[in-house]
Amino acid sequence: MGIFLFILGAAVSAVVTYFIIWLAVRNAIIDARKEDNLSENVRQRKIIKQAIVEAFEEMEKKKNEN
C-alpha cells in the first residue's frame, strides 16, 4: 500500500509540475505576442506621425509660395 501511495504522489507531482511549466510557457508566448503587437503599433504610429508632419510641411511650402 505504501508503494502505491508513493507512485501516486510522484504521478501527481509530475502532473502538477507539467501544468506549471505549461502555464509559464503559455504566458511567455502571450506576453511575446503582446510585445510584438505593441512594437508594431508604435512603428505604425511613427510612420503616421511622419506622414502628418510631411503633409503639414508641404502645406506650409505651398502657402508660402502663394
Side-chain angles (χ1 to χ4, degrees):
M1 184 70 179
I3 204 87
F4 174 74
L5 290 177
F6 176 76
I7 293 172
L8 182 63
V12 169
S13 176
V15 169
V16 169
T17 303
Y18 174 79
F19 177 72
I20 290 171
I21 292 171
W22 174 79
L23 197 60
V25 169
R26 180 178 158 270
N27 286 341
I29 290 171
I30 290 172
D31 289 344
R33 286 181 183 163
K34 285 181 184 177
E35 190 170 315
D36 285 347
N37 286 340
L38 289 177
S39 63
E40 180 67 21
N41 288 343
V42 168
R43 190 179 69 79
Q44 289 175 352
R45 284 186 194 140
K46 286 181 181 177
I47 291 171
I48 291 170
K49 285 179 184 177
Q50 184 62 32
I52 292 171
V53 167
E54 289 174 2
F56 275 107
E57 288 173 352
E58 286 292 323
M59 286 173 37
E60 286 294 320
K61 282 181 187 177
K62 288 185 180 182
K63 189 169 122 180
N64 290 336
E65 288 175 358
N66 294 336

Short mmCIF file of all heavy atoms in Angstrom, two decimals:
data_model
loop_
_atom_site.label_atom_id
_atom_site.label_comp_id
_atom_site.label_asym_id
_atom_site.label_seq_id
_atom_site.Cartn_x
_atom_site.Cartn_y
_atom_site.Cartn_z
N MET A 1 0.83 -1.20 0.00
CA MET A 1 0.00 0.00 0.00
C MET A 1 0.87 1.26 0.00
O MET A 1 0.54 2.23 -0.67
CB MET A 1 -0.92 -0.03 1.24
CG MET A 1 -1.91 1.10 1.31
SD MET A 1 -3.15 0.91 0.03
CE MET A 1 -4.16 2.29 0.35
N GLY A 2 1.96 1.20 0.74
CA GLY A 2 2.84 2.37 0.83
C GLY A 2 3.47 2.70 -0.52
O GLY A 2 3.62 3.86 -0.88
N ILE A 3 3.86 1.67 -1.27
CA ILE A 3 4.49 1.90 -2.58
C ILE A 3 3.48 2.49 -3.56
O ILE A 3 3.83 3.33 -4.39
CB ILE A 3 5.13 0.59 -3.11
CG1 ILE A 3 6.27 0.91 -4.10
CG2 ILE A 3 4.18 -0.26 -3.86
CD1 ILE A 3 7.55 1.12 -3.44
N PHE A 4 2.23 2.07 -3.45
CA PHE A 4 1.17 2.61 -4.31
C PHE A 4 0.99 4.10 -4.05
O PHE A 4 0.88 4.90 -4.99
CB PHE A 4 -0.14 1.85 -4.07
CG PHE A 4 -1.30 2.45 -4.80
CD1 PHE A 4 -1.43 2.30 -6.18
CD2 PHE A 4 -2.27 3.19 -4.12
CE1 PHE A 4 -2.49 2.87 -6.86
CE2 PHE A 4 -3.33 3.76 -4.79
CZ PHE A 4 -3.45 3.59 -6.17
N LEU A 5 0.96 4.49 -2.77
CA LEU A 5 0.81 5.90 -2.43
C LEU A 5 2.03 6.70 -2.91
O LEU A 5 1.89 7.85 -3.36
CB LEU A 5 0.61 6.07 -0.93
CG LEU A 5 -0.73 5.57 -0.39
CD1 LEU A 5 -0.76 5.72 1.14
CD2 LEU A 5 -1.88 6.32 -1.02
N PHE A 6 3.22 6.11 -2.80
CA PHE A 6 4.43 6.78 -3.27
C PHE A 6 4.35 7.03 -4.78
O PHE A 6 4.63 8.13 -5.26
CB PHE A 6 5.66 5.93 -2.94
CG PHE A 6 6.94 6.51 -3.47
CD1 PHE A 6 7.53 7.60 -2.85
CD2 PHE A 6 7.53 5.98 -4.61
CE1 PHE A 6 8.69 8.15 -3.35
CE2 PHE A 6 8.69 6.53 -5.12
CZ PHE A 6 9.28 7.61 -4.48
N ILE A 7 3.94 6.02 -5.55
CA ILE A 7 3.82 6.16 -7.00
C ILE A 7 2.73 7.16 -7.36
O ILE A 7 2.89 8.00 -8.25
CB ILE A 7 3.56 4.79 -7.65
CG1 ILE A 7 4.79 3.90 -7.49
CG2 ILE A 7 3.18 4.93 -9.12
CD1 ILE A 7 4.57 2.47 -7.93
N LEU A 8 1.62 7.11 -6.63
CA LEU A 8 0.53 8.06 -6.87
C LEU A 8 1.00 9.49 -6.59
O LEU A 8 0.71 10.41 -7.36
CB LEU A 8 -0.68 7.70 -6.00
CG LEU A 8 -1.91 8.59 -6.18
CD1 LEU A 8 -2.45 8.45 -7.60
CD2 LEU A 8 -2.98 8.22 -5.18
N GLY A 9 1.72 9.68 -5.51
CA GLY A 9 2.24 11.01 -5.17
C GLY A 9 3.21 11.51 -6.22
O GLY A 9 3.20 12.70 -6.59
N ALA A 10 4.08 10.63 -6.72
CA ALA A 10 5.03 11.02 -7.76
C ALA A 10 4.30 11.40 -9.04
O ALA A 10 4.67 12.36 -9.73
CB ALA A 10 6.01 9.88 -8.01
N ALA A 11 3.25 10.65 -9.38
CA ALA A 11 2.48 10.95 -10.59
C ALA A 11 1.78 12.30 -10.46
O ALA A 11 1.78 13.11 -11.40
CB ALA A 11 1.47 9.84 -10.85
N VAL A 12 1.18 12.55 -9.32
CA VAL A 12 0.50 13.83 -9.10
C VAL A 12 1.51 14.97 -9.15
O VAL A 12 1.25 16.01 -9.77
CB VAL A 12 -0.27 13.81 -7.76
CG1 VAL A 12 -0.75 15.20 -7.39
CG2 VAL A 12 -1.45 12.85 -7.84
N SER A 13 2.67 14.77 -8.55
CA SER A 13 3.71 15.78 -8.57
C SER A 13 4.17 16.06 -10.00
O SER A 13 4.37 17.22 -10.37
CB SER A 13 4.89 15.33 -7.72
OG SER A 13 5.94 16.24 -7.81
N ALA A 14 4.31 15.02 -10.81
CA ALA A 14 4.73 15.20 -12.20
C ALA A 14 3.67 15.96 -12.99
O ALA A 14 4.00 16.85 -13.78
CB ALA A 14 4.99 13.84 -12.84
N VAL A 15 2.41 15.65 -12.77
CA VAL A 15 1.33 16.34 -13.49
C VAL A 15 1.28 17.81 -13.08
O VAL A 15 1.14 18.70 -13.93
CB VAL A 15 -0.02 15.64 -13.22
CG1 VAL A 15 -1.17 16.49 -13.72
CG2 VAL A 15 -0.04 14.27 -13.89
N VAL A 16 1.42 18.08 -11.80
CA VAL A 16 1.39 19.47 -11.32
C VAL A 16 2.58 20.24 -11.89
O VAL A 16 2.44 21.38 -12.34
CB VAL A 16 1.37 19.51 -9.78
CG1 VAL A 16 1.61 20.92 -9.26
CG2 VAL A 16 0.04 18.98 -9.26
N THR A 17 3.76 19.62 -11.89
CA THR A 17 4.94 20.27 -12.45
C THR A 17 4.76 20.55 -13.94
O THR A 17 5.08 21.65 -14.42
CB THR A 17 6.19 19.38 -12.23
OG1 THR A 17 6.33 19.14 -10.82
CG2 THR A 17 7.44 20.05 -12.75
N TYR A 18 4.23 19.59 -14.67
CA TYR A 18 3.98 19.77 -16.10
C TYR A 18 3.00 20.93 -16.31
O TYR A 18 3.21 21.77 -17.19
CB TYR A 18 3.41 18.48 -16.71
CG TYR A 18 2.99 18.64 -18.13
CD1 TYR A 18 3.92 18.62 -19.16
CD2 TYR A 18 1.65 18.84 -18.46
CE1 TYR A 18 3.54 18.79 -20.48
CE2 TYR A 18 1.25 19.01 -19.77
CZ TYR A 18 2.20 18.98 -20.78
OH TYR A 18 1.81 19.15 -22.07
N PHE A 19 1.95 21.01 -15.50
CA PHE A 19 0.96 22.07 -15.64
C PHE A 19 1.58 23.43 -15.37
O PHE A 19 1.32 24.40 -16.10
CB PHE A 19 -0.22 21.82 -14.69
CG PHE A 19 -1.25 22.90 -14.73
CD1 PHE A 19 -2.09 23.04 -15.81
CD2 PHE A 19 -1.36 23.82 -13.69
CE1 PHE A 19 -3.04 24.04 -15.87
CE2 PHE A 19 -2.30 24.82 -13.73
CZ PHE A 19 -3.15 24.94 -14.82
N ILE A 20 2.42 23.52 -14.34
CA ILE A 20 3.06 24.80 -14.01
C ILE A 20 3.99 25.24 -15.14
O ILE A 20 3.99 26.41 -15.54
CB ILE A 20 3.82 24.69 -12.67
CG1 ILE A 20 2.82 24.56 -11.53
CG2 ILE A 20 4.73 25.89 -12.46
CD1 ILE A 20 3.44 24.24 -10.19
N ILE A 21 4.76 24.31 -15.69
CA ILE A 21 5.65 24.65 -16.80
C ILE A 21 4.84 25.06 -18.02
O ILE A 21 5.15 26.05 -18.70
CB ILE A 21 6.60 23.47 -17.12
CG1 ILE A 21 7.57 23.27 -15.96
CG2 ILE A 21 7.33 23.69 -18.43
CD1 ILE A 21 8.40 22.01 -16.06
N TRP A 22 3.76 24.33 -18.32
CA TRP A 22 2.91 24.66 -19.46
C TRP A 22 2.32 26.06 -19.30
O TRP A 22 2.28 26.85 -20.25
CB TRP A 22 1.79 23.62 -19.58
CG TRP A 22 0.79 23.95 -20.64
CD1 TRP A 22 0.90 23.76 -21.96
CD2 TRP A 22 -0.48 24.58 -20.43
NE1 TRP A 22 -0.23 24.21 -22.60
CE2 TRP A 22 -1.10 24.73 -21.68
CE3 TRP A 22 -1.17 25.02 -19.29
CZ2 TRP A 22 -2.34 25.30 -21.83
CZ3 TRP A 22 -2.41 25.59 -19.44
CH2 TRP A 22 -2.99 25.73 -20.71
N LEU A 23 1.88 26.38 -18.09
CA LEU A 23 1.29 27.70 -17.84
C LEU A 23 2.33 28.81 -18.02
O LEU A 23 2.03 29.85 -18.61
CB LEU A 23 0.72 27.72 -16.41
CG LEU A 23 -0.26 28.82 -16.07
CD1 LEU A 23 -1.49 28.73 -16.96
CD2 LEU A 23 -0.68 28.69 -14.62
N ALA A 24 3.55 28.57 -17.54
CA ALA A 24 4.60 29.58 -17.68
C ALA A 24 4.95 29.81 -19.15
O ALA A 24 5.09 30.96 -19.59
CB ALA A 24 5.84 29.15 -16.90
N VAL A 25 5.05 28.74 -19.91
CA VAL A 25 5.37 28.87 -21.33
C VAL A 25 4.24 29.57 -22.07
O VAL A 25 4.47 30.45 -22.91
CB VAL A 25 5.67 27.48 -21.95
CG1 VAL A 25 5.74 27.56 -23.46
CG2 VAL A 25 6.95 26.92 -21.37
N ARG A 26 3.02 29.21 -21.74
CA ARG A 26 1.85 29.84 -22.38
C ARG A 26 1.83 31.35 -22.10
O ARG A 26 1.62 32.15 -23.01
CB ARG A 26 0.58 29.18 -21.84
CG ARG A 26 -0.69 29.73 -22.42
CD ARG A 26 -1.88 28.96 -21.84
NE ARG A 26 -3.07 29.73 -21.93
CZ ARG A 26 -3.52 30.58 -21.01
NH1 ARG A 26 -2.88 30.75 -19.90
NH2 ARG A 26 -4.64 31.25 -21.20
N ASN A 27 2.08 31.73 -20.85
CA ASN A 27 2.09 33.15 -20.51
C ASN A 27 3.23 33.88 -21.20
O ASN A 27 3.08 35.03 -21.63
CB ASN A 27 2.19 33.33 -18.99
CG ASN A 27 0.88 33.00 -18.31
OD1 ASN A 27 -0.17 32.98 -18.94
ND2 ASN A 27 0.95 32.72 -17.02
N ALA A 28 4.38 33.22 -21.33
CA ALA A 28 5.51 33.84 -22.02
C ALA A 28 5.18 34.07 -23.49
O ALA A 28 5.52 35.11 -24.05
CB ALA A 28 6.75 32.97 -21.88
N ILE A 29 4.51 33.12 -24.11
CA ILE A 29 4.14 33.26 -25.52
C ILE A 29 3.13 34.40 -25.68
O ILE A 29 3.24 35.23 -26.59
CB ILE A 29 3.57 31.93 -26.06
CG1 ILE A 29 4.69 30.90 -26.17
CG2 ILE A 29 2.89 32.13 -27.41
CD1 ILE A 29 4.20 29.50 -26.47
N ILE A 30 2.15 34.47 -24.78
CA ILE A 30 1.15 35.54 -24.85
C ILE A 30 1.82 36.90 -24.66
O ILE A 30 1.53 37.85 -25.40
CB ILE A 30 0.05 35.30 -23.80
CG1 ILE A 30 -0.81 34.10 -24.21
CG2 ILE A 30 -0.81 36.55 -23.63
CD1 ILE A 30 -1.79 33.66 -23.16
N ASP A 31 2.74 37.00 -23.70
CA ASP A 31 3.45 38.26 -23.48
C ASP A 31 4.27 38.66 -24.69
O ASP A 31 4.32 39.83 -25.06
CB ASP A 31 4.34 38.17 -22.25
CG ASP A 31 3.55 38.13 -20.95
OD1 ASP A 31 2.35 38.47 -20.98
OD2 ASP A 31 4.13 37.76 -19.91
N ALA A 32 4.92 37.68 -25.32
CA ALA A 32 5.72 37.98 -26.50
C ALA A 32 4.84 38.49 -27.63
O ALA A 32 5.22 39.43 -28.35
CB ALA A 32 6.48 36.73 -26.94
N ARG A 33 3.68 37.89 -27.80
CA ARG A 33 2.76 38.36 -28.85
C ARG A 33 2.28 39.77 -28.57
O ARG A 33 2.18 40.59 -29.47
CB ARG A 33 1.56 37.42 -28.97
CG ARG A 33 1.89 36.11 -29.63
CD ARG A 33 0.68 35.23 -29.73
NE ARG A 33 1.02 33.94 -30.31
CZ ARG A 33 0.27 32.88 -30.22
NH1 ARG A 33 -0.90 32.95 -29.60
NH2 ARG A 33 0.64 31.74 -30.76
N LYS A 34 1.97 40.05 -27.30
CA LYS A 34 1.54 41.40 -26.95
C LYS A 34 2.65 42.41 -27.23
O LYS A 34 2.40 43.49 -27.75
CB LYS A 34 1.15 41.47 -25.47
CG LYS A 34 -0.17 40.84 -25.15
CD LYS A 34 -0.47 40.97 -23.67
CE LYS A 34 -1.75 40.27 -23.29
NZ LYS A 34 -2.00 40.32 -21.85
N GLU A 35 3.88 42.04 -26.88
CA GLU A 35 5.00 42.94 -27.10
C GLU A 35 5.22 43.17 -28.59
O GLU A 35 5.49 44.29 -29.02
CB GLU A 35 6.27 42.36 -26.47
CG GLU A 35 7.42 43.33 -26.43
CD GLU A 35 8.57 42.83 -25.60
OE1 GLU A 35 8.33 42.33 -24.50
OE2 GLU A 35 9.71 42.94 -26.08
N ASP A 36 5.09 42.11 -29.41
CA ASP A 36 5.22 42.27 -30.85
C ASP A 36 4.14 43.20 -31.38
O ASP A 36 4.41 44.07 -32.21
CB ASP A 36 5.11 40.92 -31.56
CG ASP A 36 6.37 40.08 -31.42
OD1 ASP A 36 7.39 40.64 -31.00
OD2 ASP A 36 6.31 38.88 -31.72
N ASN A 37 2.91 43.03 -30.88
CA ASN A 37 1.82 43.90 -31.33
C ASN A 37 2.07 45.33 -30.92
O ASN A 37 1.81 46.26 -31.68
CB ASN A 37 0.48 43.40 -30.76
CG ASN A 37 0.00 42.15 -31.45
OD1 ASN A 37 0.43 41.84 -32.55
ND2 ASN A 37 -0.89 41.43 -30.81
N LEU A 38 2.57 45.53 -29.69
CA LEU A 38 2.84 46.89 -29.23
C LEU A 38 3.94 47.53 -30.06
O LEU A 38 3.82 48.69 -30.45
CB LEU A 38 3.23 46.88 -27.75
CG LEU A 38 2.10 46.56 -26.77
CD1 LEU A 38 2.63 46.51 -25.34
CD2 LEU A 38 1.00 47.61 -26.86
N SER A 39 5.01 46.79 -30.34
CA SER A 39 6.09 47.37 -31.12
C SER A 39 5.61 47.66 -32.54
O SER A 39 6.01 48.66 -33.14
CB SER A 39 7.31 46.45 -31.14
OG SER A 39 7.00 45.23 -31.77
N GLU A 40 4.74 46.81 -33.07
CA GLU A 40 4.19 47.06 -34.40
C GLU A 40 3.31 48.32 -34.37
O GLU A 40 3.36 49.15 -35.28
CB GLU A 40 3.37 45.85 -34.87
CG GLU A 40 2.76 46.01 -36.23
CD GLU A 40 3.77 46.08 -37.36
OE1 GLU A 40 4.90 45.62 -37.17
OE2 GLU A 40 3.42 46.60 -38.42
N ASN A 41 2.50 48.47 -33.32
CA ASN A 41 1.66 49.66 -33.20
C ASN A 41 2.51 50.92 -33.08
O ASN A 41 2.18 51.95 -33.68
CB ASN A 41 0.74 49.54 -31.98
CG ASN A 41 -0.36 48.53 -32.19
OD1 ASN A 41 -0.64 48.14 -33.31
ND2 ASN A 41 -0.98 48.11 -31.10
N VAL A 42 3.59 50.84 -32.31
CA VAL A 42 4.47 52.01 -32.16
C VAL A 42 5.09 52.37 -33.51
O VAL A 42 5.16 53.54 -33.88
CB VAL A 42 5.56 51.72 -31.09
CG1 VAL A 42 6.64 52.78 -31.13
CG2 VAL A 42 4.93 51.65 -29.72
N ARG A 43 5.52 51.36 -34.24
CA ARG A 43 6.12 51.60 -35.56
C ARG A 43 5.11 52.25 -36.50
O ARG A 43 5.42 53.21 -37.21
CB ARG A 43 6.63 50.28 -36.14
CG ARG A 43 7.48 50.45 -37.38
CD ARG A 43 7.96 49.11 -37.89
NE ARG A 43 6.89 48.30 -38.43
CZ ARG A 43 6.36 48.46 -39.64
NH1 ARG A 43 6.79 49.42 -40.42
NH2 ARG A 43 5.40 47.67 -40.06
N GLN A 44 3.87 51.75 -36.48
CA GLN A 44 2.84 52.32 -37.34
C GLN A 44 2.52 53.76 -36.95
O GLN A 44 2.33 54.62 -37.81
CB GLN A 44 1.58 51.46 -37.28
CG GLN A 44 1.73 50.13 -37.98
CD GLN A 44 0.51 49.24 -37.81
OE1 GLN A 44 -0.39 49.55 -37.05
NE2 GLN A 44 0.49 48.12 -38.51
N ARG A 45 2.49 54.02 -35.64
CA ARG A 45 2.22 55.40 -35.19
C ARG A 45 3.32 56.34 -35.64
O ARG A 45 3.04 57.48 -36.03
CB ARG A 45 2.10 55.44 -33.67
CG ARG A 45 0.80 54.89 -33.17
CD ARG A 45 0.67 55.08 -31.68
NE ARG A 45 -0.41 54.27 -31.17
CZ ARG A 45 -0.37 53.62 -30.04
NH1 ARG A 45 0.69 53.69 -29.27
NH2 ARG A 45 -1.39 52.89 -29.64
N LYS A 46 4.58 55.89 -35.58
CA LYS A 46 5.68 56.75 -36.02
C LYS A 46 5.56 57.06 -37.51
O LYS A 46 5.80 58.19 -37.93
CB LYS A 46 7.03 56.06 -35.74
CG LYS A 46 7.41 56.07 -34.28
CD LYS A 46 8.76 55.41 -34.06
CE LYS A 46 9.13 55.41 -32.60
NZ LYS A 46 10.40 54.72 -32.35
N ILE A 47 5.18 56.06 -38.29
CA ILE A 47 5.02 56.27 -39.73
C ILE A 47 3.89 57.27 -39.98
O ILE A 47 4.01 58.18 -40.80
CB ILE A 47 4.76 54.93 -40.44
CG1 ILE A 47 6.02 54.06 -40.40
CG2 ILE A 47 4.30 55.14 -41.87
CD1 ILE A 47 5.80 52.64 -40.87
N ILE A 48 2.79 57.11 -39.26
CA ILE A 48 1.65 58.02 -39.44
C ILE A 48 2.02 59.44 -39.02
O ILE A 48 1.71 60.41 -39.72
CB ILE A 48 0.43 57.50 -38.64
CG1 ILE A 48 -0.10 56.21 -39.29
CG2 ILE A 48 -0.66 58.56 -38.56
CD1 ILE A 48 -1.13 55.49 -38.46
N LYS A 49 2.72 59.57 -37.89
CA LYS A 49 3.14 60.90 -37.44
C LYS A 49 4.06 61.55 -38.46
O LYS A 49 3.93 62.75 -38.74
CB LYS A 49 3.84 60.80 -36.08
CG LYS A 49 2.90 60.57 -34.93
CD LYS A 49 3.67 60.46 -33.62
CE LYS A 49 2.75 60.12 -32.48
NZ LYS A 49 3.47 59.94 -31.22
N GLN A 50 4.98 60.76 -39.01
CA GLN A 50 5.90 61.30 -40.01
C GLN A 50 5.13 61.76 -41.25
O GLN A 50 5.42 62.81 -41.82
CB GLN A 50 6.95 60.25 -40.39
CG GLN A 50 8.00 60.75 -41.35
CD GLN A 50 8.81 61.89 -40.80
OE1 GLN A 50 9.06 61.96 -39.60
NE2 GLN A 50 9.23 62.79 -41.66
N ALA A 51 4.14 60.98 -41.66
CA ALA A 51 3.34 61.36 -42.83
C ALA A 51 2.57 62.65 -42.56
O ALA A 51 2.47 63.52 -43.44
CB ALA A 51 2.38 60.23 -43.19
N ILE A 52 2.04 62.80 -41.35
CA ILE A 52 1.31 64.02 -41.00
C ILE A 52 2.25 65.22 -41.01
O ILE A 52 1.92 66.30 -41.54
CB ILE A 52 0.61 63.85 -39.63
CG1 ILE A 52 -0.52 62.83 -39.76
CG2 ILE A 52 0.10 65.18 -39.11
CD1 ILE A 52 -1.12 62.44 -38.44
N VAL A 53 3.44 65.05 -40.44
CA VAL A 53 4.42 66.15 -40.42
C VAL A 53 4.79 66.55 -41.84
O VAL A 53 4.86 67.75 -42.17
CB VAL A 53 5.66 65.73 -39.59
CG1 VAL A 53 6.81 66.69 -39.82
CG2 VAL A 53 5.32 65.64 -38.12
N GLU A 54 5.03 65.56 -42.69
CA GLU A 54 5.37 65.87 -44.08
C GLU A 54 4.23 66.58 -44.79
O GLU A 54 4.46 67.51 -45.58
CB GLU A 54 5.75 64.59 -44.81
CG GLU A 54 7.08 64.02 -44.37
CD GLU A 54 7.38 62.68 -45.01
OE1 GLU A 54 6.57 62.19 -45.84
OE2 GLU A 54 8.42 62.11 -44.68
N ALA A 55 3.00 66.18 -44.52
CA ALA A 55 1.85 66.83 -45.15
C ALA A 55 1.76 68.29 -44.70
O ALA A 55 1.51 69.19 -45.54
CB ALA A 55 0.57 66.08 -44.79
N PHE A 56 1.97 68.56 -43.42
CA PHE A 56 1.93 69.94 -42.95
C PHE A 56 3.07 70.76 -43.53
O PHE A 56 2.89 71.93 -43.86
CB PHE A 56 1.97 69.99 -41.41
CG PHE A 56 0.62 69.83 -40.78
CD1 PHE A 56 0.26 68.67 -40.13
CD2 PHE A 56 -0.31 70.86 -40.84
CE1 PHE A 56 -0.98 68.52 -39.55
CE2 PHE A 56 -1.57 70.73 -40.27
CZ PHE A 56 -1.90 69.55 -39.62
N GLU A 57 4.24 70.15 -43.68
CA GLU A 57 5.36 70.87 -44.29
C GLU A 57 5.05 71.23 -45.74
O GLU A 57 5.36 72.34 -46.19
CB GLU A 57 6.63 70.02 -44.21
CG GLU A 57 7.19 69.93 -42.81
CD GLU A 57 8.36 68.95 -42.72
OE1 GLU A 57 8.64 68.23 -43.70
OE2 GLU A 57 8.99 68.91 -41.65
N GLU A 58 4.44 70.31 -46.46
CA GLU A 58 4.04 70.59 -47.84
C GLU A 58 3.01 71.72 -47.90
O GLU A 58 3.08 72.61 -48.76
CB GLU A 58 3.47 69.33 -48.51
CG GLU A 58 4.50 68.30 -48.86
CD GLU A 58 5.43 68.77 -49.96
OE1 GLU A 58 4.96 69.46 -50.90
OE2 GLU A 58 6.63 68.46 -49.86
N MET A 59 2.05 71.70 -46.97
CA MET A 59 1.05 72.76 -46.93
C MET A 59 1.70 74.11 -46.65
O MET A 59 1.34 75.12 -47.26
CB MET A 59 -0.02 72.45 -45.88
CG MET A 59 -0.97 71.35 -46.29
SD MET A 59 -2.14 70.81 -45.03
CE MET A 59 -2.57 72.27 -44.17
N GLU A 60 2.67 74.12 -45.74
CA GLU A 60 3.37 75.37 -45.42
C GLU A 60 4.15 75.88 -46.64
O GLU A 60 4.17 77.08 -46.91
CB GLU A 60 4.31 75.16 -44.23
CG GLU A 60 3.61 75.05 -42.90
CD GLU A 60 2.92 76.34 -42.51
OE1 GLU A 60 3.49 77.43 -42.73
OE2 GLU A 60 1.79 76.25 -41.99
N LYS A 61 4.79 74.97 -47.36
CA LYS A 61 5.55 75.36 -48.55
C LYS A 61 4.62 75.98 -49.58
O LYS A 61 4.93 77.03 -50.16
CB LYS A 61 6.26 74.16 -49.16
CG LYS A 61 7.51 73.74 -48.45
CD LYS A 61 8.14 72.55 -49.17
CE LYS A 61 9.30 71.98 -48.40
NZ LYS A 61 9.86 70.78 -49.06
N LYS A 62 3.50 75.33 -49.84
CA LYS A 62 2.56 75.85 -50.83
C LYS A 62 1.97 77.18 -50.38
O LYS A 62 1.74 78.09 -51.20
CB LYS A 62 1.45 74.82 -51.08
CG LYS A 62 1.94 73.62 -51.86
CD LYS A 62 0.82 72.67 -52.20
CE LYS A 62 1.39 71.50 -53.00
NZ LYS A 62 0.36 70.56 -53.39
N LYS A 63 1.72 77.29 -49.08
CA LYS A 63 1.16 78.54 -48.55
C LYS A 63 2.18 79.66 -48.69
O LYS A 63 1.83 80.79 -49.06
CB LYS A 63 0.80 78.33 -47.07
CG LYS A 63 0.03 79.46 -46.46
CD LYS A 63 -0.50 79.03 -45.11
CE LYS A 63 0.03 79.97 -44.05
NZ LYS A 63 -0.44 79.64 -42.73
N ASN A 64 3.43 79.37 -48.46
CA ASN A 64 4.49 80.40 -48.57
C ASN A 64 4.77 80.77 -50.01
O ASN A 64 5.16 81.90 -50.31
CB ASN A 64 5.79 79.92 -47.89
CG ASN A 64 5.62 79.87 -46.40
OD1 ASN A 64 4.79 80.56 -45.82
ND2 ASN A 64 6.44 79.06 -45.75
N GLU A 65 4.60 79.82 -50.94
CA GLU A 65 4.82 80.11 -52.36
C GLU A 65 3.76 81.06 -52.90
O GLU A 65 4.04 81.90 -53.74
CB GLU A 65 4.80 78.81 -53.18
CG GLU A 65 6.02 77.96 -52.96
CD GLU A 65 5.93 76.61 -53.68
OE1 GLU A 65 4.87 76.36 -54.33
OE2 GLU A 65 6.86 75.84 -53.57
N ASN A 66 2.53 80.94 -52.41
CA ASN A 66 1.44 81.80 -52.88
C ASN A 66 1.47 83.05 -52.11
O ASN A 66 1.48 84.09 -52.21
CB ASN A 66 0.08 81.11 -52.69
CG ASN A 66 -0.04 79.89 -53.59
OD1 ASN A 66 0.63 79.82 -54.61
ND2 ASN A 66 -0.87 78.97 -53.20
#
